[in-house]
Amino acid sequence: MDHNSSFSAGTADNSYGDSDGLAGVTVIVCASCRDETGSDAHPRAGELLAEDTRRAASGENIRIRSVECLGNCKRRLSAALLRDGCWSYVFGDLTTTSGADLVAGAMLFATSTDGLIPWRGRPDCLKRGLVARIPPLDLLKDQI
């Protein structure tokens, strides 16, 4: 996590369309991410990515939210894709203009029958920038 950040760990709801979203898909964009220079200038690169994603999602029924920090600072601009009852994905190394790619990934995710974002058709930045894939809790088999 970026310990020099002056942001709290809160979230901002920037929902579009029906509150259920397209098949329960939510795009979460880290608004506190800095650009490659590490500048503290505002708006931050993450805020620009969040706005680009909102524009790209205009007219689509996808929830877009921003959070103050995803804790993926070494991979710079970051976002996550979540879908109810499915795997969740964290991506890094995005740019301020990756919003359309995040929305394209969300659309693929929404139409997936197995709860995974298909590799085929996934935008390149969502192939190269994959940081983590997190299973839904009901898929975990081990109990302690």
Side-chain angles (χ1 to χ4, degrees):
M1 187 161 98
D2 182 355
H3 298 288
N4 295 323
S5 175
S6 61
F7 290 101
S8 69
T11 62
D13 184 353
N14 299 307
S15 302
Y16 283 89
D18 186 317
S19 63
D20 288 336
L22 184 62
V25 175
T26 301
V27 178
I28 299 175
V29 179
C30 181
S32 61
C33 284
R34 296 180 172 123
D35 65 17
E36 61 279 350
T37 69
S39 170
D40 279 330
H42 286 275
R44 292 263 175 98
E47 293 171 289
L48 298 174
L49 173 58
E51 185 55 36
D52 188 61
T53 306
R54 286 185 204 100
R55 277 192 302 274
S58 179
E60 300 296 343
N61 195 15
I62 299 171
R63 286 184 297 247
I64 308 297
R65 292 190 170 191
S66 59
V67 66
E68 295 304 325
C69 186
L70 283 175
N72 190 36
C73 303
K74 289 187 180 197
R75 297 284 300 267
R76 296 290 174 199
L77 278 81
S78 299
L81 293 180
L82 292 76
R83 179 177 166 197
D84 298 338
C86 299
W87 289 77
S88 297
Y89 292 81
V90 178
F91 300 97
D93 302 320
L94 301 171
T95 69
T96 58
T97 59
S98 294
D101 289 340
L102 288 169
V103 171
M107 299 294 283
L108 285 170
F109 200 14
T111 58
S112 167
T113 58
D114 62 1
L116 300 169
I117 301 174
W119 188 259
R120 175 170 273 146
R122 189 186 296 186
D124 284 341
C125 72
L126 301 186
K127 289 179 180 178
R128 290 187 315 269
L130 181 62
V131 172
R133 186 177 81 164
I134 304 158
L137 290 175
D138 61 347
L139 188 66
L140 300 178
K141 296 179 181 12
D142 297 355
Q143 294 184 358
I144 297 176

